[in-house]
Amino acid sequence: MKKALITGITGQDGSYLAEFLLAKGYEIHGLIRRASTFNTDRIDHLYKDFHDPKARVYLHYGDLSVSGQLTDLLQEIRPDEIYHLGAQSHVRVSFDMPEYTGDVTGLGTIRLLEAVRKAEVKARFYQASSSEMFGAAPPPQGEATPFQPQSPYAAAKVYAYYVVRNYRDAYKLFATNGILFNHESPRRGETFVTRKITRAAARIKLGLQEKLFLGNLEAKRDWGFAGDYVEAMWLILQQDSPDDYVIATGETHSVREFAEKVFAKLDLDYQKHVAIDPRYFRPTEVDVLLGDAAKARRILGWQPKVGFEELIDMMVAADLEIAKKEKTLVDAGYACGNRRMV
């Protein structure tokens, strides 16, 4: 049985990846930060759906800012594969917390690579690189496109990208970069623009909310489904030699188009409900991200299965169910309040 260590296992990608690897018979180890709340909502179902003793999930407290702890953990687990997904991953937040973002997103990667080297673990290493590294580079963006990062997050990811390549060359580690373009799902965090839109539209449809405030509606992104993209992560680590790959759909759509389609699916006019809030603009904008995944298609045999419309349908349906449950609770609260008044 192969062992996999996933940093960021409680996030969107971590949860889909854990499901994918469990289905392939892996033993899963996840790194989670100790916090005041136990934030494992996205992976709680794994304990219920997988009872096969050959496919287990173990969670370990740890932090990407503590290098010694990472080394100890690797010596204990001795994983066959490491999927490094953990980071401060919100671009807008990185402008507010640049030092923290650099420490966790950038230096966290070299701490983990050093832990692999010092623990002498023969693990294959996957680094979650980001399309944000391309920044202002003209589209389409592929493996040979020069990086032009436009945020502290993107700059930290560029640092991590080159550190991975350096450790691959200097220490002969099987270290890889997956340069993933935007990938979404019903498990996407609610502060990310796609989920923010689908969540708000569903609440507006049910009368729980009136307005949605957004920033740059003209920004264009290459959006795919997170469930498809974790398969690409696994495929990257199954190759004979380590390399770097762009993972993308090859289509680009604006935030405006995304919002328009989401609201239309709920028989709503987005223009009546969406307002611009300058606070959501970035100090430096990234206008267009459009990935060229020809190398991944050719070598990995990977291609996205879920299209743009299907992705929106999936997210709208999930958030509408959440909004219906919320409305039931709200209505029940009003009913209880009225009875008390009587």
Side-chain angles (χ1 to χ4, degrees):
M1 186 191 307
K2 283 188 176 181
K3 294 182 183 179
L5 171 64
I6 305 173
T7 69
I9 192 172
T10 59
Q12 170 191 252
D13 292 5
S15 66
Y16 280 111
L17 180 60
E19 286 179 348
F20 181 86
L21 295 178
L22 281 172
K24 289 189 172 294
Y26 279 65
E27 178 178 298
I28 306 298
H29 294 262
L31 183 70
I32 61 172
R33 288 178 298 167
R34 183 175 288 280
S36 58
T37 57
F38 200 57
N39 183 27
T40 60
D41 293 351
R42 293 185 180 96
I43 59 173
D44 284 343
H45 68 286
L46 298 180
Y47 298 98
K48 301 171 185 176
D49 294 345
F50 293 89
H51 299 291
D52 183 351
K54 295 181 180 179
R56 303 290 301 277
V57 179
Y58 302 91
L59 300 181
H60 306 266
Y61 285 115
D63 198 298
L64 292 171
S65 65
V66 184
S67 55
Q69 186 181 33
L70 296 173
T71 304
D72 292 343
L73 183 61
L74 289 181
Q75 288 176 332
E76 175 190 345
I77 299 171
R78 307 209 66 84
D80 299 288
E81 297 172 1
I82 298 172
Y83 295 87
H84 181 36
L85 314 183
Q88 190 301 99
S89 59
H90 198 287
V91 177
R92 184 62 190 84
V93 170
S94 77
F95 285 101
D96 301 323
M97 305 176 70
E99 185 176 348
Y100 174 77
T101 301
D103 184 34
V104 174
T105 305
L107 293 179
T109 302
I110 200 168
R111 291 188 187 106
L112 189 53
L113 285 166
E114 269 292 277
V116 172
R117 187 178 70 85
K118 290 179 178 178
E120 298 182 341
V121 173
K122 301 300 181 184
R124 296 188 170 201
F125 186 96
Y126 171 86
Q127 162 66 14
S129 290
S130 169
S131 61
E132 286 287 335
M133 300 188 305
F134 293 119
Q141 295 105 357
E143 290 84 3
T145 303
F147 298 135
Q148 297 185 39
Q150 299 292 296
S151 68
Y153 166 76
K157 281 291 187 180
V158 169
Y159 171 83
Y161 171 90
Y162 281 115
V163 161
V164 167
R165 293 183 60 134
N166 177 248
Y167 272 62
R168 183 166 74 209
D169 295 338
Y171 303 113
K172 308 307 177 187
L173 299 185
F174 195 108
T176 68
N177 285 288
I179 308 173
L180 272 58
F181 279 64
N182 295 67
H183 44 287
E184 320 298 316
S185 76
R187 300 179 194 175
R188 189 57 142 152
E190 294 181 15
T191 59
F192 290 84
V193 68
T194 52
R195 183 74 196 289
K196 185 177 180 180
I197 292 170
T198 58
R199 182 88 173 93
R203 298 185 82 250
I204 289 169
K205 177 67 176 179
L206 297 183
L208 296 169
Q209 184 174 329
E210 293 182 1
K211 287 286 185 180
L212 166 62
F213 295 95
L214 297 173
N216 182 12
L217 296 182
E218 307 313 320
K220 293 182 177 180
R221 295 293 183 266
D222 186 327
W223 279 303
F225 172 52
D228 290 341
Y229 283 47
V230 299
E231 181 182 11
M233 298 177 188
W234 177 77
L235 286 169
I236 288 171
L237 292 193
Q238 310 314 306
Q239 303 308 302
D240 293 335
S241 57
D243 205 345
D244 309 318
Y245 298 87
V246 162
I247 305 299
T249 69
E251 296 181 12
T252 189
H253 303 272
S254 68
V255 174
R256 184 186 299 277
E257 181 185 354
F258 192 96
E260 183 177 11
K261 286 184 176 292
V262 167
F263 277 82
K265 289 180 183 295
L266 294 169
D267 297 318
L268 297 170
D269 182 354
Y270 85 100
Q271 296 185 76
K272 294 180 180 179
H273 302 284
V274 173
I276 303 299
D277 188 334
R279 292 178 299 176
Y280 294 118
F281 282 86
R282 302 178 187 179
T284 46
E285 288 287 342
V286 173
D287 295 325
V288 183
L289 292 177
L290 173 62
D292 177 3
K295 180 179 176 180
R297 291 196 299 270
R298 184 178 71 255
I299 298 176
L300 305 180
W302 178 88
Q303 60 182 4
K305 300 179 181 69
V306 176
F308 184 64
E309 293 283 347
E310 188 179 351
L311 174 63
I312 290 177
D313 288 340
M314 182 192 306
M315 295 179 68
V316 168
D319 275 325
L320 192 57
E321 286 303 310
I322 292 173
K324 287 177 180 177
K325 293 176 183 178
E326 186 179 356
K327 183 171 175 57
T328 299
L329 293 174
V330 169
D331 291 344
Y334 282 135
C336 290
N338 290 335
R339 283 199 296 272
R340 284 196 295 270
M341 289 176 65
V342 173

